[in-house]
Amino acid sequence: MTTSPLPALPLHSDTHETEAPDGGEDQAQRAAELAALHRAADAGEAAATWVRELASRQGEEDHGQLLERVAEAIVQASSREIIPGSFGLLTEELRYTLAADVVLGASHTTGTLPELHPGERMPLIAVCAIAATFPSCVLGDLTRELEVLAAELEAATDAGRAAAEPATG
């Protein structure tokens, strides 16, 4: 298991005597990177909360347990798996858990599909797909890519929540 870069990254950088004259630019870049990491983690937590809500509605325990695992995988992929300097790859287990077939739930054991409102399946697929891409941002422009993906994750989560509103409201 990998560890989160969030605790390892400083909330502010101390200036060192050996720092280059352009150290302010490096500090600004690190601060922007840290803010993007936190935004990704927050978006992942919000998405996971929504997926846990889906899990709590399941009549079949197997579907609920699978969605709970998906929620944890979203949290992990959007935070602890984003490791600057790494190869940006998810573990096989996380890739499998976040695969699009999550909308089928545990249908292979239950013979049924998860109980989802119309319009929730596509946002669920989107949330999983977006979460799975977060770690690969370390291979490019981490700050910019995390900001874009966090915004898309937030939008997919909002769409999923909105799909349930007519059914519950």
Side-chain angles (χ1 to χ4, degrees):
M1 178 180 273
T2 56
T3 58
S4 172
L6 295 180
L9 295 173
L11 292 177
H12 60 84
S13 296
D14 296 328
T15 305
H16 299 287
E17 291 179 282
T18 58
E19 192 170 312
D22 66 344
E25 187 175 307
D26 287 343
Q27 286 179 345
Q29 182 178 356
R30 284 192 300 273
E33 185 177 278
L34 183 59
L37 286 164
H38 281 287
R39 181 168 183 202
D42 290 346
E45 284 288 345
T49 297
W50 172 62
V51 173
R52 286 185 186 104
E53 291 167 8
L54 298 178
S56 71
R57 291 196 330 233
Q58 302 307 307
E60 292 280 348
E61 185 178 342
D62 289 348
H63 290 312
Q65 289 175 350
L66 183 133
L67 287 167
E68 286 288 342
R69 282 194 306 273
V70 168
E72 180 53 38
I74 290 167
V75 169
Q76 190 169 344
S78 64
S79 60
R80 296 184 298 265
E81 292 297 312
I82 305 171
I83 306 168
S86 73
F87 293 111
L89 301 175
L90 281 177
T91 64
E92 184 177 346
E93 180 182 357
L94 283 176
R95 280 194 315 272
Y96 178 76
T97 303
L98 294 172
D101 64 355
V102 68
V103 298
L104 300 175
S107 60
H108 61 285
T109 59
T110 65
T112 63
L113 293 174
E115 297 171 28
L116 299 173
H117 296 302
E120 286 181 325
R121 288 187 200 290
M122 187 58 72
L124 180 57
I125 293 169
V127 161
C128 290
I130 295 165
T133 64
F134 276 116
S136 67
C137 292
V138 301
L139 302 175
D141 183 347
L142 180 66
T143 301
R144 184 181 62 79
E145 292 174 16
L146 284 180
E147 288 291 336
V148 169
L149 290 175
E152 293 300 326
L153 185 58
E154 291 162 353
T157 303
D158 290 346
R161 288 186 187 284
E165 287 177 6
T168 61

